[in-house]
Amino acid sequence: MYKYIIVSDLHLGTKHSKAKEFLQFIEENPCEQLILNGDIIDGWALQRGTKWRTSHTKVIAKLIKLSTKQKIVWIRGNHDDFLKDFTGTNLGNIKIREDYVITTDKRYFIFHGDIIDVFITQYGFLAKIGSVGYDVALFLNDIYNRYRKWRKLPYYSISQKIKEGVKIATNYVNDFETTAIRMAKEKKCDGVICGHIHQPADRMIGKKHYLNSGDWVENMTAICINLDNTIKIKSFK
């Protein structure tokens, strides 16, 4: 039993969402409070006409069922920005919030991360173009990794390697982390927990703790906080 589990970026409504794996993960890892840190449903993809799958419905049904037994907070992201009008209210037993603070032996400020992303805040149309590009990279991943599986080789992420190899992408991640830490300072918290950039992370930046839950498209990771307040990034893989 965990005290908190924080997940983000399930992107339900897209072909590449690992809904079945996520269902198994939350069934095998009970917690007192589940925090859904944005982009749980991909409204952008659904607007483009992507197919909503039965496995995605099962995730929502599971979350509704869990909410009768444990605390669940859903923090709005940019892809599920249709929740904006519901911020501060409850959908059944699920609390809808813009951000959230949890207390372990430290205070952590939790927000999705899109509000510090210049491409989202100032160039929204570029962000949506980038989202389509990411879908293309994932499509190529599928084709390439079917071949690698046939050759009995491990999974290789084309999109991740592109990000790692492009200097502007590296600078973007560094700037994102630095700005997130500044948000923690402004909120008088000891650390910050984000999603959004699909890069799981657990590091100290100065005297502040930066955590990122990653995603459930490629990494399949979550932040798990034990009852004794120890923290780990747990991977389904």
Side-chain angles (χ1 to χ4, degrees):
M1 171 70 75
Y2 291 104
K3 182 185 290 186
Y4 300 104
I5 290 181
I6 302 102
V7 299
S8 68
D9 299 275
L10 271 67
H11 290 275
L12 299 174
T14 68
K15 175 183 177 182
H16 303 284
S17 177
K18 301 299 188 297
K20 292 179 182 178
E21 291 84 350
F22 177 71
L23 272 174
Q24 184 178 337
F25 180 84
I26 58 176
E27 286 171 359
E28 293 176 352
N29 295 277
C31 63
E32 293 179 355
Q33 185 166 6
L34 177 63
I35 299 171
L36 308 168
N37 196 12
D39 288 2
I40 305 306
I41 294 176
D42 196 323
W44 292 9
L46 291 170
Q47 286 178 347
R48 295 198 301 267
T50 59
K51 183 180 178 182
W52 182 266
R53 299 168 185 268
T54 301
S55 60
H56 302 167
T57 300
K58 287 181 179 179
V59 170
I60 299 301
K62 180 67 175 180
L63 292 173
I64 292 170
K65 184 177 179 180
L66 284 175
S67 71
T68 64
K69 305 173 184 177
Q70 68 187 70
K71 295 179 181 178
I72 297 182
V73 175
W74 186 341
I75 297 169
R76 181 192 64 81
N78 50 301
H79 284 262
D80 46 20
D81 56 2
F82 55 84
L83 290 172
K84 190 170 184 178
D85 292 339
F86 299 97
T87 300
T89 66
N90 295 353
L91 291 179
N93 295 310
I94 300 175
K95 296 179 179 179
I96 308 299
R97 299 290 183 267
E98 287 285 319
D99 51 53
Y100 198 63
V101 173
I102 61 171
T103 302
T104 59
D105 52 343
K106 299 178 179 178
R107 278 170 51 86
Y108 286 91
F109 179 64
I110 306 176
F111 71 112
H112 179 63
D114 56 303
I115 62 171
I116 60 172
D117 185 339
V118 66
F119 287 101
I120 298 294
T121 57
Q122 297 186 33
Y123 307 104
F125 69 99
L126 287 178
K128 293 193 176 184
I129 292 171
S131 177
V132 174
Y134 184 57
D135 288 346
V136 171
L138 291 173
F139 173 74
L140 295 175
N141 273 350
D142 277 352
I143 295 173
Y144 181 52
N145 280 289
R146 283 177 202 154
Y147 167 76
R148 289 181 66 84
K149 186 176 182 180
W150 176 69
R151 292 288 306 274
K152 297 183 178 179
L153 296 172
Y155 180 85
Y156 181 93
S157 174
I158 295 172
S159 61
Q160 292 289 346
K161 290 301 177 183
I162 291 172
K163 290 177 185 177
E164 291 170 7
V166 179
K167 186 176 180 180
I168 191 170
T170 302
N171 290 340
Y172 166 79
V173 171
N174 291 338
D175 290 345
F176 179 89
E177 293 176 352
T178 301
T179 307
I181 287 296
R182 190 159 59 242
M183 292 281 288
K185 292 177 181 177
E186 291 174 359
K187 300 295 181 178
K188 301 188 186 313
C189 288
D190 304 292
V192 64
I193 301 174
C194 301
H196 187 57
I197 60 173
H198 295 209
Q199 295 279 342
D202 178 0
R203 64 174 62 91
M204 296 299 295
I205 300 178
K207 295 181 180 180
K208 301 292 182 182
H209 194 184
Y210 171 80
L211 289 155
N212 195 298
S213 50
D215 66 274
W216 282 83
V217 177
E218 292 189 86
N219 292 297
M220 290 187 286
T221 50
I223 294 168
C224 298
I225 303 178
N226 288 297
L227 297 175
D228 64 0
N229 295 321
T230 56
I231 300 174
K232 65 177 177 180
I233 295 179
K234 191 167 185 176
S235 174
F236 180 81
K237 296 178 183 179

PDB file of all heavy atoms in Angstrom, residues 4 6 35-37 75 98-102 108-112 189 191-194:
ATOM      1  N   TYR A   4       0.778   7.734  -1.708  1.00  0.00           N
ATOM      2  CA  TYR A   4       0.382   8.442  -2.928  1.00  0.00           C
ATOM      3  C   TYR A   4       0.927   7.710  -4.140  1.00  0.00           C
ATOM      4  O   TYR A   4       2.043   7.182  -4.118  1.00  0.00           O
ATOM      5  CB  TYR A   4       0.959   9.867  -2.976  1.00  0.00           C
ATOM      6  CG  TYR A   4       0.556  10.790  -1.864  1.00  0.00           C
ATOM      7  CD1 TYR A   4       1.444  11.087  -0.837  1.00  0.00           C
ATOM      8  CD2 TYR A   4      -0.695  11.407  -1.856  1.00  0.00           C
ATOM      9  CE1 TYR A   4       1.098  11.967   0.185  1.00  0.00           C
ATOM     10  CE2 TYR A   4      -1.051  12.285  -0.845  1.00  0.00           C
ATOM     11  CZ  TYR A   4      -0.147  12.558   0.173  1.00  0.00           C
ATOM     12  OH  TYR A   4      -0.495  13.433   1.179  1.00  0.00           O
ATOM     13  N   ILE A   6       1.292   9.051  -8.176  1.00  0.00           N
ATOM     14  CA  ILE A   6       1.058  10.155  -9.122  1.00  0.00           C
ATOM     15  C   ILE A   6       1.368   9.665 -10.523  1.00  0.00           C
ATOM     16  O   ILE A   6       2.475   9.177 -10.783  1.00  0.00           O
ATOM     17  CB  ILE A   6       1.928  11.392  -8.783  1.00  0.00           C
ATOM     18  CG1 ILE A   6       1.641  11.881  -7.355  1.00  0.00           C
ATOM     19  CG2 ILE A   6       1.657  12.521  -9.770  1.00  0.00           C
ATOM     20  CD1 ILE A   6       2.666  11.487  -6.339  1.00  0.00           C
ATOM     21  N   ILE A  35      -3.266  10.478  -7.718  1.00  0.00           N
ATOM     22  CA  ILE A  35      -3.270  11.810  -8.325  1.00  0.00           C
ATOM     23  C   ILE A  35      -3.013  11.665  -9.816  1.00  0.00           C
ATOM     24  O   ILE A  35      -1.967  11.154 -10.236  1.00  0.00           O
ATOM     25  CB  ILE A  35      -2.218  12.726  -7.665  1.00  0.00           C
ATOM     26  CG1 ILE A  35      -2.544  12.877  -6.171  1.00  0.00           C
ATOM     27  CG2 ILE A  35      -2.188  14.094  -8.362  1.00  0.00           C
ATOM     28  CD1 ILE A  35      -1.476  13.564  -5.369  1.00  0.00           C
ATOM     29  N   LEU A  36      -3.989  12.094 -10.614  1.00  0.00           N
ATOM     30  CA  LEU A  36      -3.916  12.039 -12.071  1.00  0.00           C
ATOM     31  C   LEU A  36      -3.431  13.403 -12.555  1.00  0.00           C
ATOM     32  O   LEU A  36      -4.189  14.364 -12.575  1.00  0.00           O
ATOM     33  CB  LEU A  36      -5.293  11.716 -12.651  1.00  0.00           C
ATOM     34  CG  LEU A  36      -5.985  10.474 -12.066  1.00  0.00           C
ATOM     35  CD1 LEU A  36      -7.452  10.438 -12.501  1.00  0.00           C
ATOM     36  CD2 LEU A  36      -5.265   9.205 -12.484  1.00  0.00           C
ATOM     37  N   ASN A  37      -2.169  13.466 -12.926  1.00  0.00           N
ATOM     38  CA  ASN A  37      -1.546  14.768 -13.163  1.00  0.00           C
ATOM     39  C   ASN A  37      -1.585  15.191 -14.636  1.00  0.00           C
ATOM     40  O   ASN A  37      -0.563  15.495 -15.247  1.00  0.00           O
ATOM     41  CB  ASN A  37      -0.104  14.768 -12.636  1.00  0.00           C
ATOM     42  CG  ASN A  37       0.457  16.181 -12.500  1.00  0.00           C
ATOM     43  OD1 ASN A  37      -0.290  17.156 -12.590  1.00  0.00           O
ATOM     44  ND2 ASN A  37       1.750  16.292 -12.298  1.00  0.00           N
ATOM     45  N   ILE A  75      -5.813  16.504 -12.020  1.00  0.00           N
ATOM     46  CA  ILE A  75      -5.287  17.826 -12.349  1.00  0.00           C
ATOM     47  C   ILE A  75      -5.353  18.009 -13.864  1.00  0.00           C
ATOM     48  O   ILE A  75      -4.878  17.162 -14.627  1.00  0.00           O
ATOM     49  CB  ILE A  75      -3.838  17.975 -11.844  1.00  0.00           C
ATOM     50  CG1 ILE A  75      -3.810  17.872 -10.307  1.00  0.00           C
ATOM     51  CG2 ILE A  75      -3.225  19.303 -12.304  1.00  0.00           C
ATOM     52  CD1 ILE A  75      -2.422  17.750  -9.722  1.00  0.00           C
ATOM     53  N   GLU A  98      -6.542  22.554 -10.720  1.00  0.00           N
ATOM     54  CA  GLU A  98      -5.488  23.095 -11.589  1.00  0.00           C
ATOM     55  C   GLU A  98      -4.115  22.665 -11.081  1.00  0.00           C
ATOM     56  O   GLU A  98      -3.180  22.489 -11.872  1.00  0.00           O
ATOM     57  CB  GLU A  98      -5.558  24.622 -11.617  1.00  0.00           C
ATOM     58  CG  GLU A  98      -6.722  25.188 -12.406  1.00  0.00           C
ATOM     59  CD  GLU A  98      -6.520  25.079 -13.905  1.00  0.00           C
ATOM     60  OE1 GLU A  98      -5.392  25.318 -14.374  1.00  0.00           O
ATOM     61  OE2 GLU A  98      -7.488  24.747 -14.600  1.00  0.00           O
ATOM     62  N   ASP A  99      -3.996  22.546  -9.784  1.00  0.00           N
ATOM     63  CA  ASP A  99      -2.753  22.119  -9.150  1.00  0.00           C
ATOM     64  C   ASP A  99      -3.099  21.581  -7.772  1.00  0.00           C
ATOM     65  O   ASP A  99      -4.265  21.606  -7.363  1.00  0.00           O
ATOM     66  CB  ASP A  99      -1.730  23.268  -9.066  1.00  0.00           C
ATOM     67  CG  ASP A  99      -2.322  24.533  -8.461  1.00  0.00           C
ATOM     68  OD1 ASP A  99      -2.889  24.455  -7.352  1.00  0.00           O
ATOM     69  OD2 ASP A  99      -2.227  25.607  -9.089  1.00  0.00           O
ATOM     70  N   TYR A 100      -2.087  21.092  -7.070  1.00  0.00           N
ATOM     71  CA  TYR A 100      -2.358  20.408  -5.803  1.00  0.00           C
ATOM     72  C   TYR A 100      -1.077  20.391  -4.984  1.00  0.00           C
ATOM     73  O   TYR A 100       0.025  20.419  -5.542  1.00  0.00           O
ATOM     74  CB  TYR A 100      -2.826  18.988  -6.100  1.00  0.00           C
ATOM     75  CG  TYR A 100      -3.534  18.275  -4.979  1.00  0.00           C
ATOM     76  CD1 TYR A 100      -4.740  18.748  -4.475  1.00  0.00           C
ATOM     77  CD2 TYR A 100      -3.015  17.095  -4.444  1.00  0.00           C
ATOM     78  CE1 TYR A 100      -5.414  18.068  -3.456  1.00  0.00           C
ATOM     79  CE2 TYR A 100      -3.677  16.406  -3.438  1.00  0.00           C
ATOM     80  CZ  TYR A 100      -4.871  16.896  -2.949  1.00  0.00           C
ATOM     81  OH  TYR A 100      -5.528  16.222  -1.956  1.00  0.00           O
ATOM     82  N   VAL A 101      -1.220  20.350  -3.676  1.00  0.00           N
ATOM     83  CA  VAL A 101      -0.061  20.254  -2.780  1.00  0.00           C
ATOM     84  C   VAL A 101      -0.235  19.026  -1.893  1.00  0.00           C
ATOM     85  O   VAL A 101      -1.317  18.809  -1.331  1.00  0.00           O
ATOM     86  CB  VAL A 101       0.101  21.515  -1.903  1.00  0.00           C
ATOM     87  CG1 VAL A 101       1.215  21.317  -0.872  1.00  0.00           C
ATOM     88  CG2 VAL A 101       0.406  22.731  -2.781  1.00  0.00           C
ATOM     89  N   ILE A 102       0.809  18.206  -1.812  1.00  0.00           N
ATOM     90  CA  ILE A 102       0.787  17.077  -0.886  1.00  0.00           C
ATOM     91  C   ILE A 102       1.899  17.271   0.142  1.00  0.00           C
ATOM     92  O   ILE A 102       2.897  17.955  -0.119  1.00  0.00           O
ATOM     93  CB  ILE A 102       0.966  15.721  -1.595  1.00  0.00           C
ATOM     94  CG1 ILE A 102       2.317  15.643  -2.327  1.00  0.00           C
ATOM     95  CG2 ILE A 102      -0.202  15.455  -2.530  1.00  0.00           C
ATOM     96  CD1 ILE A 102       2.633  14.253  -2.853  1.00  0.00           C
ATOM     97  N   TYR A 108       5.176  19.129  -1.517  1.00  0.00           N
ATOM     98  CA  TYR A 108       5.372  19.054  -2.959  1.00  0.00           C
ATOM     99  C   TYR A 108       4.235  19.758  -3.678  1.00  0.00           C
ATOM    100  O   TYR A 108       3.056  19.494  -3.405  1.00  0.00           O
ATOM    101  CB  TYR A 108       5.443  17.599  -3.419  1.00  0.00           C
ATOM    102  CG  TYR A 108       6.732  16.911  -3.060  1.00  0.00           C
ATOM    103  CD1 TYR A 108       6.863  16.219  -1.855  1.00  0.00           C
ATOM    104  CD2 TYR A 108       7.836  16.963  -3.911  1.00  0.00           C
ATOM    105  CE1 TYR A 108       8.043  15.589  -1.511  1.00  0.00           C
ATOM    106  CE2 TYR A 108       9.024  16.340  -3.578  1.00  0.00           C
ATOM    107  CZ  TYR A 108       9.126  15.662  -2.382  1.00  0.00           C
ATOM    108  OH  TYR A 108      10.309  15.041  -2.040  1.00  0.00           O
ATOM    109  N   PHE A 109       4.608  20.642  -4.599  1.00  0.00           N
ATOM    110  CA  PHE A 109       3.633  21.316  -5.456  1.00  0.00           C
ATOM    111  C   PHE A 109       3.474  20.478  -6.718  1.00  0.00           C
ATOM    112  O   PHE A 109       4.445  20.157  -7.402  1.00  0.00           O
ATOM    113  CB  PHE A 109       4.130  22.718  -5.808  1.00  0.00           C
ATOM    114  CG  PHE A 109       3.201  23.485  -6.707  1.00  0.00           C
ATOM    115  CD1 PHE A 109       1.932  23.827  -6.288  1.00  0.00           C
ATOM    116  CD2 PHE A 109       3.604  23.871  -7.982  1.00  0.00           C
ATOM    117  CE1 PHE A 109       1.069  24.540  -7.113  1.00  0.00           C
ATOM    118  CE2 PHE A 109       2.752  24.586  -8.814  1.00  0.00           C
ATOM    119  CZ  PHE A 109       1.480  24.925  -8.372  1.00  0.00           C
ATOM    120  N   ILE A 110       2.227  20.107  -7.023  1.00  0.00           N
ATOM    121  CA  ILE A 110       1.952  19.246  -8.181  1.00  0.00           C
ATOM    122  C   ILE A 110       1.155  20.025  -9.214  1.00  0.00           C
ATOM    123  O   ILE A 110       0.109  20.594  -8.909  1.00  0.00           O
ATOM    124  CB  ILE A 110       1.162  17.990  -7.754  1.00  0.00           C
ATOM    125  CG1 ILE A 110       1.884  17.250  -6.619  1.00  0.00           C
ATOM    126  CG2 ILE A 110       0.959  17.061  -8.946  1.00  0.00           C
ATOM    127  CD1 ILE A 110       1.101  16.053  -6.086  1.00  0.00           C
ATOM    128  N   PHE A 111       1.664  20.063 -10.427  1.00  0.00           N
ATOM    129  CA  PHE A 111       0.911  20.626 -11.549  1.00  0.00           C
ATOM    130  C   PHE A 111       1.368  19.924 -12.820  1.00  0.00           C
ATOM    131  O   PHE A 111       2.445  19.336 -12.865  1.00  0.00           O
ATOM    132  CB  PHE A 111       1.078  22.141 -11.636  1.00  0.00           C
ATOM    133  CG  PHE A 111       2.438  22.607 -12.089  1.00  0.00           C
ATOM    134  CD1 PHE A 111       2.604  23.220 -13.315  1.00  0.00           C
ATOM    135  CD2 PHE A 111       3.559  22.449 -11.274  1.00  0.00           C
ATOM    136  CE1 PHE A 111       3.853  23.667 -13.740  1.00  0.00           C
ATOM    137  CE2 PHE A 111       4.807  22.893 -11.682  1.00  0.00           C
ATOM    138  CZ  PHE A 111       4.957  23.506 -12.924  1.00  0.00           C
ATOM    139  N   HIS A 112       0.533  19.959 -13.861  1.00  0.00           N
ATOM    140  CA  HIS A 112       0.836  19.177 -15.059  1.00  0.00           C
ATOM    141  C   HIS A 112       2.124  19.657 -15.732  1.00  0.00           C
ATOM    142  O   HIS A 112       2.992  18.854 -16.067  1.00  0.00           O
ATOM    143  CB  HIS A 112      -0.326  19.234 -16.048  1.00  0.00           C
ATOM    144  CG  HIS A 112      -0.057  18.463 -17.305  1.00  0.00           C
ATOM    145  ND1 HIS A 112       0.136  17.096 -17.315  1.00  0.00           N
ATOM    146  CD2 HIS A 112       0.086  18.873 -18.600  1.00  0.00           C
ATOM    147  CE1 HIS A 112       0.382  16.703 -18.559  1.00  0.00           C
ATOM    148  NE2 HIS A 112       0.353  17.754 -19.349  1.00  0.00           N
ATOM    149  N   CYS A 189       7.225  25.418  -1.388  1.00  0.00           N
ATOM    150  CA  CYS A 189       7.288  23.965  -1.291  1.00  0.00           C
ATOM    151  C   CYS A 189       8.735  23.486  -1.426  1.00  0.00           C
ATOM    152  O   CYS A 189       9.590  24.194  -1.971  1.00  0.00           O
ATOM    153  CB  CYS A 189       6.421  23.322  -2.374  1.00  0.00           C
ATOM    154  SG  CYS A 189       4.641  23.510  -2.077  1.00  0.00           S
ATOM    155  N   GLY A 191       9.568  20.743  -3.062  1.00  0.00           N
ATOM    156  CA  GLY A 191       9.769  20.051  -4.332  1.00  0.00           C
ATOM    157  C   GLY A 191       8.580  20.249  -5.250  1.00  0.00           C
ATOM    158  O   GLY A 191       7.556  20.828  -4.874  1.00  0.00           O
ATOM    159  N   VAL A 192       8.734  19.765  -6.477  1.00  0.00           N
ATOM    160  CA  VAL A 192       7.688  19.918  -7.488  1.00  0.00           C
ATOM    161  C   VAL A 192       7.520  18.593  -8.214  1.00  0.00           C
ATOM    162  O   VAL A 192       8.495  17.860  -8.429  1.00  0.00           O
ATOM    163  CB  VAL A 192       8.033  21.058  -8.466  1.00  0.00           C
ATOM    164  CG1 VAL A 192       9.295  20.756  -9.266  1.00  0.00           C
ATOM    165  CG2 VAL A 192       6.872  21.351  -9.402  1.00  0.00           C
ATOM    166  N   ILE A 193       6.277  18.285  -8.589  1.00  0.00           N
ATOM    167  CA  ILE A 193       5.968  17.070  -9.339  1.00  0.00           C
ATOM    168  C   ILE A 193       5.198  17.465 -10.592  1.00  0.00           C
ATOM    169  O   ILE A 193       4.139  18.071 -10.509  1.00  0.00           O
ATOM    170  CB  ILE A 193       5.149  16.076  -8.500  1.00  0.00           C
ATOM    171  CG1 ILE A 193       5.923  15.676  -7.235  1.00  0.00           C
ATOM    172  CG2 ILE A 193       4.799  14.835  -9.324  1.00  0.00           C
ATOM    173  CD1 ILE A 193       5.133  14.799  -6.273  1.00  0.00           C
ATOM    174  N   CYS A 194       5.754  17.115 -11.745  1.00  0.00           N
ATOM    175  CA  CYS A 194       5.157  17.474 -13.034  1.00  0.00           C
ATOM    176  C   CYS A 194       4.934  16.234 -13.885  1.00  0.00           C
ATOM    177  O   CYS A 194       5.335  15.119 -13.527  1.00  0.00           O
ATOM    178  CB  CYS A 194       6.082  18.411 -13.807  1.00  0.00           C
ATOM    179  SG  CYS A 194       6.483  19.948 -12.981  1.00  0.00           S
TER     180      CYS A 194
END
